[in-house]
Amino acid sequence: MEKDVQVLEDVTVRFAGDSGDGMQLTGSQFTNTTALAGNDLSTLPDYPAEIRAPAGTLYGVSGFQLHFSSSDIQTPGDSPDVLVAMNPAALKVNLRDLKKNATIIANENAFDSKNLKLAEYETNPLEDKSLEGYNVIPVPLTKLTHAALDGLTLSMKEKDRCKNFFALGLMFWLYSKPLEPTIEWIEEKFKKNETVKEANKRALHAGYGYGDTTEIFTTRYEVEPAKLTPGLYRNLSGNEAVALGLVAASHQAGIPLFLGSYPITPASDILHELSRYKNFGVKTVQAEDEIAGICVAIGASFSGSLAATTTSGPGLALKMEAVGLSVMTELPLVIVDVQRGGPSTGLPTKTEQADLFQAMYGRNGESPVCVLAASTPGDCFHMAVEASRLALKYMTPVILLTDGYLANGSEPWKIPAIEELPEMKVTFRTEKEGFFPYLRDENYARPWAIPGTPGLEHRIGGLEKANITGHVSYDTKNHDFMVRTRAKKVKHIENDIPDLEVRGEKSGDLLILGWGGTYGAITETVTRLLSKGYKLSQAHLKYLNPMPKNTGEVLKRFKQVLVPEINLGQLAYILRAEYLYPVESLTKVEGLPFKSSEIEEKIISMIGGK
Amino acid sequence: MSAQEVKTEGAKLTVKDFQTPHDIRWCPGCGDYSILAQMQRVSPDLNVAKENFVWVSGIGCSSRFPYYMDTYGFHGIHGRAPAIATGVKVARPDLSVWVATGDGDLLSIGGNHFIHACRRNVDLKILLFNNRIYGLTKGQFSPTSEKGKKTKSTPYGAIDHPFNPVAVALGVDTTFIARTMDRDAKHMQLMMNRAAAHKGTALIEVYQNCNIFNDGAYEHLTEKDQKPDTTVFLEHGKPLIFGKNKDKGIRLNGFTPAVVDLSSGQFTADDCWVHDEFDKSPVRATILSHFTEMEDFPVPFGIFRQTTKNTYDGDVQQQIDDITKSQGKGDLMKLFTSANTWEVK
Ligand code: SF4
């Protein structure tokens, strides 16, 4: 049957099912294929905190959203155009997010009385007209998958498990994408199990074939490749990007990378990634707890490694005494906090930006550290490199803030040439003449003299240091001097970072100022409003401490400044305190990134409709 | 790091090379002085270049130790010395890494790091200054204080049951466990030498007198007139015999030890328990470790048990070497492009 092909500029799809249904896998396969096809894209995995919540329940629903486009995009999309719902619970949980008249592809075999009850449906929504207005396409996914696997010696359960590949095949057909990348992946992944390999391939083909032959689908869609900056690309998540960034920094610095870490959601993937890079000389220690994670890193830093520790909010809280120790001992250390919903255990699998205060101020005493924040998954690479550069150059701990959304989300990443990476060659102190542990260079950095260097034996620690000699000192005047010197050192970094750039008019009525992972949503909103003729500007802070030198001046060029944050206004608070500028705050703490419509609404309310 | 293995040029190291010019701030008469002196005495002969020693400590009186050793030193935070030292050793297996710590530091706030360093068998030498009290915070009971002990924080007597550090160390399969005392310089030096020669985690529990807050805690073990009857010195291959006249022995009936009289003619040295430092089974060392809680039994000093197992730091390096050999040295560009890539023209 001939089918129409309709060209679309962008599409947002969401796969949803039980946490055991393989939705994250389905989503990431669709993502990779879409990326290879040259679309710009952005993803948002959303999964429950339980690993395998009971099947069919509302709280066990796992989702993966992907926005892909033929033009430059910034977010995983506000509301999906298409929902693939593997069961009633998946439909129920996701329905409210969908666009009006969105397409719903539902596995009708899963809409039995048991699952309907678990999802708290009194009647079957596929039949009771409650979905009127949506384009509902019921597909007997389970049955068709079983039929496709006829003759294979697999249990019913094992056959059931292949239905996500059927759904994937169908979606590939619907969006005119090739099957090859997924087939290659299946071949590799299941090379040890011939039957499962065959089953998954058959399910994938069957799904594709179903789209082609059934009369339900009259149209298929195409999203053309995006016009990205020329270059070599790959798809990259924020956590992978941090791992690559640290390895790249170690390469540039010419010293080995050492990671001390403790498993914690959503940061563990950085530990997993780095544990694989043994042939880069990367040493990873999965420590007995968060505190040990940072302490082994401090030991490694003392003895000459590029040391890092990775964690999330609760872990950072545990590490803080040791962060203070690296402030006092003035050793380079990269601390990555992949923020999640808090306080306490909070929402481990949901995103938030509420650790800014913790990063800035969460230690005893006057304890300034450099604080950076990445703005997109790909930017996590650059900021991990930057965090390392600053740590090494200024002999200071640097906290890099990312978040669950950046960590698990992904986007096409333009692979940099090695020559484009910043210079950061480290030289250890070896000269005995004139050596003092706390004699500073022009950047207020003290010398890095590592064990094994003859003649430079010295002792450091958490007690206050005498200026220059580094001996223990209880002298009160010296303490005052050292406190101010440490603060001055961190502040001095402002001379080594880029100015805050303003997009759009350099002065005017309204500036939208964001930080960290809200970049995508803000950019998308501003782009849309600019194209509609609104007058507004945008800036994004990636350096939170110190802030770019021109920050105060930028603020003052605008009549109003709006600061959207996934917290209760932490950056807004700091800006008001620091620059005495009455910024307006837009906050949301729902464990999810901003939708650009939410930011748009606020902006319109500030500057009025047009 | 081969360049750093080169010894300092010139003459052989001496005690003086390990002394710092700083005033030592322990109370006069403190047992810590002896530990420092013995360590400075043995260090020149350990066959380690001076610059390759690293001393790491936590918080407490004992943890001031690194300031008084003229080597690389790191005075850490409370309880975390084993973790910091692990980082030093794993990053740089070429270094000789020592930990100075106390009963509060290692066994209370640092308990977790202690057992995990031992479990992993990181090649660290840990000197546990056990004075059974918190000194630096001025006299609260510690995890090794005896039950019922009256201190500032336990005016009616401590309710806590104490820790048995040797038994704990045996429980996590520590590969070298020894005990010595501040008042026996020769024995302490011997233990330090033996610990230094051991590859893997070596724990030396030093009974150390805090003459300010817990004076005399070990008097019955250290004073000449009582020591022979209250202590037994473990020597590999030798029977467990003690007493002023070497007239008491320890026999093992199954798993039950008994103190026997060697003067009555009923038992001879041949009937006594012969110490085996390298015993594959931890059972006998565990029985020995509990003598401290058994009435009429002498307190053992010496090496309880020494075993061999791969070191953590060694295996970390080995894995890196093996994988680098099989996969080739990492290439950054190859790593960047290790996922599916596409070209945008
Ligand atoms: S308080 Fe006790 S342990 Fe501390 S230095 Fe004084 S005597 Fe030694």
Side-chain angles (χ1 to χ4, degrees):
Chain A
M1 181 183 143
E2 239 349 83
K3 311 254 174 160
D4 287 344
V5 175
Q6 200 181 323
V7 175
L8 299 175
E9 188 178 318
D10 70 334
V11 177
T12 300
V13 300
R14 188 185 289 180
F15 296 92
D18 268 331
S19 39
D21 274 343
M23 292 297 97
Q24 302 304 321
L25 173 83
T26 311
S28 52
Q29 281 305 313
F30 199 87
T31 304
N32 282 342
T33 300
T34 310
L36 286 174
N39 295 130
D40 195 9
L41 62 86
S42 172
T43 66
L44 175 66
D46 179 27
Y47 49 90
E50 294 77 16
I51 301 301
R52 286 283 147 88
T57 57
L58 292 168
Y59 57 89
V61 173
S62 166
F64 188 102
Q65 183 166 318
L66 164 70
H67 182 194
F68 60 107
S69 170
S70 56
S71 58
D72 189 18
I73 53 167
Q74 307 295 341
T75 72
D78 280 4
S79 34
D81 302 292
V82 185
L83 170 71
V84 178
M86 301 300 277
N87 65 14
L91 175 66
K92 184 156 212 174
V93 170
N94 292 292
L95 190 64
R96 59 162 182 248
D97 294 337
L98 300 186
K99 273 203 187 108
K100 282 187 200 127
N101 65 43
T103 297
I104 299 170
I105 298 175
N107 176 14
E108 65 176 22
N109 300 132
F111 283 67
D112 57 15
S113 56
K114 181 176 160 232
N115 281 333
L116 288 168
K117 200 162 160 226
L118 279 169
E120 295 163 20
Y121 274 119
E122 307 215 318
T123 55
N124 187 345
L126 301 180
E127 291 161 1
D128 66 9
K129 305 217 160 135
S130 61
L131 298 177
E132 227 160 89
Y134 295 100
N135 173 26
V136 183
I137 305 178
V139 177
L141 259 164
T142 314
K143 258 199 199 122
L144 292 171
T145 304
H146 278 273
L149 305 190
D150 202 26
L152 290 178
T153 40
L154 286 173
S155 68
M156 292 299 268
K157 240 197 168 142
E158 287 170 315
K159 287 186 179 176
D160 261 1
R161 240 181 259 148
C162 298
K163 64 181 185 292
N164 61 330
F165 280 101
F166 187 98
L168 184 61
L170 177 57
M171 292 300 280
F172 280 150
W173 176 83
L174 194 59
Y175 290 101
S176 318
K177 300 290 181 206
L179 299 182
E180 284 71 25
T182 302
I183 290 174
E184 266 171 43
W185 182 87
I186 293 173
E187 299 265 0
E188 177 59 29
K189 177 85 185 171
F190 301 105
K191 64 176 170 220
K192 293 218 179 83
N193 192 334
E194 209 41 59
T195 321
V196 172
K197 185 172 85 184
E198 175 65 19
N200 284 329
K201 283 201 296 189
R202 273 207 215 170
L204 184 74
H205 280 292
Y208 194 91
Y210 178 75
D212 218 6
T213 50
T214 181
E215 295 186 357
I216 308 173
F217 296 100
T218 50
T219 316
R220 63 196 298 204
Y221 304 96
E222 224 178 274
V223 176
E224 292 183 342
K227 289 152 222 64
L228 300 171
T229 318
L232 189 63
Y233 283 79
R234 65 174 282 186
N235 194 41
L236 190 68
S237 74
N239 275 345
E240 289 170 333
V242 168
L244 289 187
L246 291 174
V247 177
S250 146
H251 176 270
Q252 293 302 96
I255 56 174
L257 176 62
F258 185 107
L259 175 74
S261 190
Y262 185 76
I264 186 168
T265 303
S268 305
D269 279 342
I270 306 173
L271 167 64
H272 304 163
E273 284 292 313
L274 288 175
S275 299
R276 293 167 45 212
Y277 307 153
K278 300 269 180 270
N279 59 337
F280 287 83
V282 181
K283 289 183 175 172
T284 54
V285 172
Q286 181 180 318
E288 56 272 23
D289 56 33
E290 292 281 357
I291 298 172
I294 185 169
C295 284
V296 293
I298 290 173
S301 171
F302 177 62
S303 43
S305 293
L306 168 57
T309 186
T310 49
T311 189
S312 184
L316 185 62
L318 284 165
K319 291 180 194 298
M320 280 304 193
E321 187 194 9
V323 176
L325 177 65
S326 48
V327 169
M328 191 59 115
T329 52
E330 303 194 39
L331 284 170
L333 181 66
V334 177
I335 302 140
V336 182
D337 173 13
V338 184
Q339 301 166 95
R340 69 187 213 188
S344 187
T345 312
L347 300 175
T349 61
K350 307 287 178 195
T351 197
E352 208 160 282
Q353 290 187 300
D355 290 349
L356 179 59
F357 280 171
Q358 179 176 218
M360 296 281 288
Y361 312 120
R363 290 164 297 283
N364 64 305
E366 292 288 352
S367 183
V369 302
C370 179
V371 181
L372 310 182
S375 58
T376 70
D379 188 46
C380 289
F381 172 85
H382 301 285
M383 293 317 277
V385 173
E386 182 68 344
S388 309
R389 181 185 76 88
L390 295 174
L392 294 170
K393 182 166 173 186
Y394 296 91
M395 294 290 282
T396 179
V398 177
I399 297 180
L400 170 59
L401 296 172
T402 74
D403 61 47
Y405 161 64
L406 295 178
N408 291 316
S410 63
E411 65 175 355
W413 176 62
K414 187 168 170 295
I415 298 170
I418 307 294
E419 305 77 61
E420 293 168 33
L421 298 173
E423 187 72 40
M424 52 170 97
K425 191 101 194 113
V426 164
T427 38
F428 297 118
R429 171 88 189 199
T430 51
E431 176 58 45
K432 213 174 141 181
E433 207 46 49
F435 168 71
F436 291 102
Y438 279 73
L439 183 62
R440 295 166 193 281
D441 67 11
E442 67 281 9
N443 293 317
Y444 305 102
R446 67 177 200 88
W448 200 3
I450 62 172
T453 315
L456 301 189
E457 292 84 358
H458 64 285
R459 275 85 27 212
I460 57 173
L463 286 169
E464 183 60 280
K465 301 281 160 292
N467 183 33
I468 300 175
T469 64
H471 296 156
V472 172
S473 166
Y474 301 112
D475 182 274
T476 52
K477 285 268 186 296
N478 174 74
H479 176 57
D480 183 87
F481 177 81
M482 293 301 274
V483 164
R484 290 174 201 281
T485 304
R486 285 186 288 266
K488 192 159 66 179
K489 174 168 94 167
V490 172
K491 178 82 171 139
H492 176 70
I493 296 175
E494 69 182 12
N495 298 307
D496 198 8
I497 61 175
D499 268 352
L500 182 62
E501 253 182 69
V502 178
R503 172 178 173 227
E505 297 296 326
K506 303 300 167 222
S507 60
D509 291 340
L510 178 63
L511 173 74
I512 318 297
L513 178 60
W515 72 276
T518 51
Y519 177 78
I522 296 173
T523 306
E524 189 173 296
T525 314
V526 170
T527 305
R528 191 168 53 237
L529 292 176
L530 284 174
S531 75
K532 286 186 191 166
Y534 284 90
K535 292 221 175 330
L536 73 171
S537 305
Q538 179 192 357
H540 206 75
L541 281 168
K542 302 210 292 181
Y543 298 83
L544 279 318
N545 196 39
M547 288 191 194
K549 268 199 286 196
N550 65 334
T551 307
E553 180 220 325
V554 167
L555 290 175
K556 280 156 197 164
R557 294 204 303 252
F558 290 87
K559 286 204 191 99
Q560 295 188 87
V561 174
L562 174 66
V563 180
E565 296 175 84
I566 314 286
N567 58 40
L568 293 185
Q570 300 189 5
L571 177 64
Y573 185 98
I574 295 171
L575 292 171
R576 289 179 198 130
E578 187 76 19
Y579 301 107
L580 299 176
Y581 184 100
V583 301
E584 177 84 17
S585 185
L586 169 65
T587 64
K588 155 173 161 173
V589 217
E590 295 176 12
L592 291 167
F594 276 112
K595 290 181 175 175
S596 74
S597 55
E598 294 163 341
I599 301 174
E600 176 169 331
E601 213 173 284
K602 175 72 184 176
I603 292 173
I604 306 275
S605 82
M606 286 175 78
I607 57 179
K610 206 171 66 89
Chain B
M1 292 294 163
S2 58
Q4 271 132 12
E5 277 155 27
V6 177
K7 288 269 168 67
T8 29
E9 317 135 60
K12 192 184 164 307
L13 295 168
T14 67
V15 177
K16 278 211 157 39
D17 288 307
F18 291 92
Q19 294 169 342
T20 59
H22 306 297
D23 293 341
I24 299 179
R25 301 246 185 136
W26 289 314
C27 310
C30 175
D32 292 358
Y33 284 95
S34 164
I35 305 175
L36 177 63
Q38 308 326 321
M39 197 64 229
Q40 287 170 335
R41 216 156 284 160
V42 303
S43 293
D45 298 320
L46 295 181
N47 218 3
V48 175
K50 179 178 154 167
E51 65 273 14
N52 284 350
F53 279 105
V54 180
W55 276 91
V56 180
S57 66
I59 294 294
C61 294
S62 60
S63 291
R64 296 301 177 89
F65 194 91
Y67 291 120
Y68 311 135
M69 287 290 291
D70 191 12
T71 64
Y72 284 92
F74 197 99
H75 181 205
I77 43 179
H78 205 12
R80 317 304 169 198
I84 296 169
T86 295
V88 174
K89 184 68 191 179
V90 175
R92 293 280 305 279
D94 60 310
L95 301 171
S96 177
V97 185
W98 294 69
V99 173
T101 179
D103 40 317
D105 193 50
L106 188 72
L107 303 174
S108 195
I109 190 167
N112 200 30
H113 310 305
F114 168 51
I115 59 175
H116 286 279
C118 294
R119 164 178 76 85
R120 295 188 182 106
N121 199 31
V122 187
D123 191 10
L124 306 176
K125 315 301 156 212
I126 303 173
L127 299 193
L128 164 60
F129 299 29
N130 183 3
N131 55 17
R132 296 198 172 149
I133 199 79
Y134 280 92
L136 197 63
T137 51
K138 300 193 168 40
Q140 300 80 11
F141 76 100
S142 91
T144 53
S145 296
E146 57 282 11
K147 192 167 165 65
K149 187 176 193 67
K150 286 197 171 138
T151 69
K152 280 189 191 148
S153 57
T154 52
Y156 302 109
I159 288 163
D160 295 43
H161 297 285
F163 236 120
N164 179 331
V166 170
V168 172
L170 280 163
V172 289
D173 211 15
T174 309
T175 52
F176 180 101
I177 305 167
R179 180 185 290 139
T180 187
M181 59 173 83
D182 53 4
R183 299 284 298 276
D184 192 333
K186 281 264 138 15
H187 187 261
M188 198 193 309
Q189 289 176 25
L190 180 67
M191 293 300 107
M192 286 168 168
N193 275 308
R194 292 289 306 273
H198 175 72
K199 191 103 185 106
T201 310
L203 173 72
I204 305 178
E205 181 188 25
V206 188
Y207 279 2
Q208 170 246 324
N209 190 40
C210 167
N211 53 310
I212 301 296
F213 295 109
N214 200 18
D215 196 22
Y218 300 115
E219 215 169 63
H220 62 297
L221 305 174
T222 55
E223 291 313 299
K224 261 210 188 88
D225 54 330
Q226 299 178 58
K227 185 177 174 186
D229 288 312
T230 53
T231 63
V232 58
F233 281 77
L234 307 170
E235 282 181 78
H236 180 64
K238 300 262 175 72
L240 267 58
I241 293 175
F242 65 107
K244 251 182 233 87
N245 307 314
K246 297 280 170 209
D247 54 356
K248 284 184 266 189
I250 293 164
R251 252 172 72 82
L252 202 51
N253 302 318
F255 293 128
T256 313
V259 176
V260 296
D261 185 358
L262 301 181
S263 61
S264 70
Q266 197 189 349
F267 295 106
T268 69
D270 291 344
D271 297 310
C272 292
W273 168 352
V274 176
H275 184 54
D276 179 4
E277 271 174 24
F278 308 100
D279 196 349
K280 291 257 179 317
S281 156
V283 173
R284 275 189 273 198
T286 306
I287 296 170
L288 276 178
S289 74
H290 288 287
F291 279 16
T292 45
E293 298 129 40
M294 291 154 66
E295 233 173 288
D296 301 328
F297 275 77
V299 172
F301 288 86
I303 298 166
F304 285 75
R305 186 162 177 251
Q306 182 175 14
T307 51
T308 42
K309 98 181 156 172
N310 284 7
T311 63
Y312 180 78
D313 41 293
D315 279 358
V316 167
Q317 189 60 53
Q318 190 62 50
Q319 205 172 43
I320 285 179
D321 294 346
D322 290 349
I323 291 169
T324 306
K325 205 164 161 203
S326 67
Q327 299 183 354
K329 208 170 151 24
D331 175 301
L332 196 54
M333 200 26 108
K334 270 203 199 122
L335 180 66
F336 288 170
T337 55
S338 60
N340 290 331
T341 59
W342 68 96
E343 181 88 38
V344 173
K345 297 231 161 59

